[in-house]
Amino acid sequence: MTEFDFDQLATRMERDPSRPLNLMERRRFLQGALAAGGAAVAVPTMFAEQAAAQASTDTIVVTVTLAGGNDGLNTFGPFSNGRYRDARRNLAINPAAAHPVGDNMSFHPSLRRLATRYRRGDVAVVRGVGEPLLDRSHFSNLARWQSANPDGKIGGTGWIGRWLDAEAVGQFSGLAIGGRGVPLHFRGNNADVTDLPRRAGALYGSKRTEQRDQRMYRAIRQMGKEANRGPWVNRVGQVNAQAIDAAQAVSQAYKAELPEERLVSDMVLSARMINLNLGTRVLNVWQNGYDTHDNQIGGNSGVGDHADLLNELDVALDVFFSTLTPAMAERVVVMVYSEFGRRVEANGSNGTDHGTANHVFFLGRRVKGGLYGDPPPLNQLDDRGDLRVTMDFRDVYATVIETALGVSAASVLGQGYSTLNLIGEPSAPESALSQRANEIRALREKNADDYLLLHTPSF
Amino acid sequence: MGLNRAEAAHLLRRAAMGGTTAQIDTFVGLERPQAVNRLLNTSNNPALPGWGRFDSGDKDWVAQEKMVEWWVDRMVTAPPTIEEKLTLFLHDHFATARDKVEDARLMWDQHVVLRQHGQGSFRVLLEKISFGSAMLIYLDNESNVKGAEQENFARELMELFTIGNGPGRFTERDVVAMAKAWTGHNTVGRTRENNWQYDPTYVFKPEEHNNTTKTLFGIAQNWNAKDTLNALVDPSIKGPLTAQYFAQKMFKFYVHTNPSPEVIAQLSGDFLAGGMNIKSLLRDILMLDEFWDKNTRYALVKSPAEFMVDIMRRTGLRSADDSVWWRMQGMGMSLFDPPTVAGWGANDYWLSTARAWSKSNYVNNLKWQSDKRGWLQNLDHLTDDQVVNVILTFFSIFEVSDQTRDNVKVLVQTTREERPWAMKYEPFAVGMFMPEVQCA
């Protein structure tokens, strides 16, 4: 991983971001959809969903899963604090390079753009979030975080999956971005989540206009219907059919080139899918690599793996917002979380071992910026030298479920939890955006007519 | 009464990497123990190549790609035995990724260990893997030293390789003690003598070892690395839990994902009593009535390796004919690069639209070769029902739902009527799209 040239990236985006279809393209798109005989069932459904979504002001939730256990203390911390510096030794962040935001707290030097957003009031940091830890395993912690089952059982369904079971209106309600399969927190009992590959290649099923494939599409769809077969034979058939149904709509998001960097690409793809207005309410994006037992500093780039990861995250979040249409940018709330934080004490091999409490970050115009929750005190660690959890992660979920997804937390989590007053009406306009982002935004607005055309059903 | 075709096909799909209809037929009529024993005999398998076959200088990922191609071709061409499937299972169990190790040669060394010791004692295999350079690097024990303990390996050794996670299995204090016991078991690393080049050879550095009393599993003594491995398999310490965890994992890989506690208790009891011989455990699993139950057939989704190897064997294709590594990665599987130390998942793990698109693109690209290569050709003189039977036999599907059969037949009928020249391609393609072909 290397330092990204944001301006260069933005230029690439500007050339053809998720450019709306012009009139001619839109007509072709619609004609193609209507002409596809075999697609006669699926495509109108898609447009019906689109019509329903068109006037929606429902909040769209993007979860960014930092896999491996992000070092929250070095991501957003009291970098001048003596206890912090003693514990972190050579891993301690240089306060002079960090981005202070008040309360003696600063963002990591890599998170310049996030700090700017914070100062603008679009970022909330919830501190001390965690769970009553039984262990410090990646797998059981991530599974507990993602499932949040009422009965405490690990695995099975996930908290967003259970919401989708009740609320999904189609196969685009929930999107897994990046082709890594459907993450546990998006798994429900019957909700179909569409997993979008990082690169489209040929999306089999997207060539609805070509007669030659219609018979095969039909056969695959029919073999995907529930039947008296084993459960996994049925399920394989269903997913193959689901892919055929989704292909044409999804292919729109891949028409323009995507950036090289993994997370940036996945976030741009997320924004484009949201812009397509297919009724999407929840998306997940992964960023892997946070298990920094070593090379947290140093490493391949010399700066350190953690700094590189956060730099990519910082760029990706910014490009995500600048790729969204203005209308969609109003509706999106991003939640950045990880399965646990790291040990306060550095481990001696330029890294940190698994810890406990962590920050959860929220971004978006509907987010009431600022600090939430009690910071776990650095002078009152638990018996292993870890931060004490001061907020149940399910309080954070309840906040998302009730104030962003609009249902009672009990329906998803089995019982009510206290919520934070964190998501509300859109905050002030994004005047403080970077000049480049503003230029991109202006370009978009100039094309607003095209957006309207695309999103107004004509039949 | 010996095996019928459906049973023989099931055995080869599960215990081995599948087989053609001709290979399956050589198992028809055998009794279960005969058939299983034949697969357990790996003594006639081809010898392994040396590292030189893959060495690509500093292009380490090229070496990995060559290793993937070699392995896939071997899975395709070696006579059906347990070896390839078992090696895949063990690679998944002791998941190690070149992506982090950054040295394909060390991955190759580990692969050789999986083959040489994979059918023997679990204890020996565990030691060879734990002290292997690939694992030392992958889980950071290379830098686990006294005073700066590093818990990565210590935790996964217990959670994923032996005891398994859960109440009463191991504690966070055990993780701390285990990490201390493994201090000093490092790699040579960068030394002046070596011109500061990284040397991945295992070495014990006494001065870096925590040579004090630690309390592990409630036992206070001066634990060192090998003592901990003994404790993990000792019937009076953690052996029963290790046997249970490993037997359960193997059952889920070979039979189905929802075993009863009773069957696991039976398997793990015998496994432990027999000194934890992996091949014996596998034999016990393959001899279970539950393994042969009709409901067990197609109860697992094929992993991308299983799916591609099955197709390649039937078609005569080899790695050189396609970018196997790239195809398989799109479907979610990169050999020698499992996604995490927990390896790959099962069933649902392989199912998503993204993975379906990759699989479907593979199928759709491949079908254009059917004419040239003679797969399912010259069907004109057959009735529609006969064509369906030819397709099912080509893919060794000996039991199929009415729904699948009817839809394959509709495709054949309509293709004949509307686009007869496509009969060169579509029977092959629809066969690969059958959900039964994509299950094991």
Side-chain angles (χ1 to χ4, degrees), chain B residues 146-170:
Chain B
K146 184 175 65 179
E149 284 81 4
Q150 232 280 7
E151 295 173 357
N152 206 9
F153 175 72
R155 179 184 305 281
E156 309 308 4
L157 170 64
M158 293 187 281
E159 177 176 346
L160 296 171
F161 302 155
T162 56
I163 309 173
N165 201 0
R169 299 185 86 90
F170 67 89

Side-chain angles (χ1 to χ4, degrees), chain B residues 270-301:
Chain B
D270 292 347
F271 182 44
L272 192 63
M276 289 200 179
N277 181 284
I278 297 170
K279 195 172 189 168
S280 301
L281 173 61
L282 177 56
R283 186 177 191 283
D284 287 350
I285 288 173
L286 298 178
M287 288 305 295
L288 288 171
D289 284 343
E290 201 172 344
F291 174 81
W292 295 95
D293 192 285
K294 204 159 187 286
N295 290 326
T296 300
R297 302 211 272 267
Y298 304 124
L300 292 173
V301 175

